[in-house]
Amino acid sequence: MNLYEMTGATAVLYDMLLNDEIDEQIFNDTVEGMGAIEKVEGYCQIISEMNGDSAKLKTEIDRLTAKKKHIDNRVTWLKTQLLNFYNANGGEKIKAGTFTVSARKSEYVDIPDASLIPKKYLKVKTEPDKTAIKDALKHGLKVKGAAISTRESVQIK
């Protein structure tokens, strides 16, 4: 389905939802002008269209992320080549047009095997195990600070 297959009112709603500054009154008036079945179908069409848009955007994000990684790797490679050239030429500052190339030393901690690090040097991230908590609550146990809540969501088939 695409925008051209939506009814006029549904297409207007779709456009409003994509607009960052949605006028709620106009949106509500447009929805009110639709019949109940047309309203439900319109909402389903919009949700379907937006899910498709979201999937397309995810694909584009993945493509751009891969491209960014490739560019970042090329920058790293070029900097390595530049450092090698710098060192091969005696490690003196190099003026090249509007750029000046030099090097500096810095320290960092290299950890090839984190399992060998003593516990006192480890950061431990703790977070609630929601699966275990839910299981305990369902079996009648009390877990301080937790409760099972019910959430309702719509399913479209």
Side-chain angles (χ1 to χ4, degrees):
M1 170 179 326
N2 59 42
L3 201 55
Y4 301 107
E5 295 171 356
M6 292 183 188
T7 64
T10 303
V12 169
L13 291 175
Y14 177 80
D15 287 338
M16 283 185 204
L17 289 169
L18 291 182
N19 186 349
D20 288 337
E21 295 181 20
I22 186 170
D23 184 326
E24 290 186 32
Q25 186 59 46
I26 294 173
F27 183 87
N28 290 333
D29 290 347
T30 305
V31 170
E32 286 301 316
M34 302 169 83
I37 297 299
E38 183 185 9
K39 187 184 302 185
V40 170
E41 182 180 18
Y43 273 42
C44 291
Q45 287 174 339
I46 290 169
I47 290 167
S48 176
E49 188 72 19
M50 287 184 156
N51 281 336
D53 290 348
S54 180
K56 290 176 201 168
L57 289 170
K58 172 146 180 21
T59 300
E60 185 66 5
I61 288 168
D62 292 345
R63 184 187 71 79
L64 291 172
T65 299
K67 186 174 183 175
K68 180 188 179 308
K69 183 177 179 181
H70 175 74
I71 289 171
D72 289 346
N73 288 340
R74 286 298 177 198
V75 167
T76 300
W77 182 82
L78 286 167
K79 284 182 176 181
T80 300
Q81 297 305 308
L82 193 55
L83 182 61
N84 291 339
F85 179 77
Y86 171 83
N87 287 330
N89 285 295
E92 297 290 324
K93 281 187 179 180
I94 302 169
K95 289 261 187 200
T98 59
F99 301 98
T100 302
V101 177
S102 62
R104 67 178 171 89
K105 294 194 185 288
S106 61
E107 294 179 340
Y108 70 97
V109 177
D110 187 24
I111 302 177
D113 186 356
S115 67
L116 300 175
I117 303 295
K119 288 187 180 192
K120 71 179 186 176
Y121 296 111
L122 296 177
K123 290 182 181 178
V124 180
K125 180 181 177 186
T126 58
E127 59 185 45
D129 181 348
K130 290 183 178 182
T131 304
I133 292 170
K134 183 178 180 181
D135 188 49
L137 291 170
K138 282 194 167 201
H139 285 90
L141 299 173
K142 298 212 183 290
V143 178
K144 190 175 181 178
I148 292 180
S149 297
T150 302
R151 184 180 306 158
E152 188 172 24
S153 63
V154 69
Q155 293 197 328
I156 303 170
K157 294 184 181 185

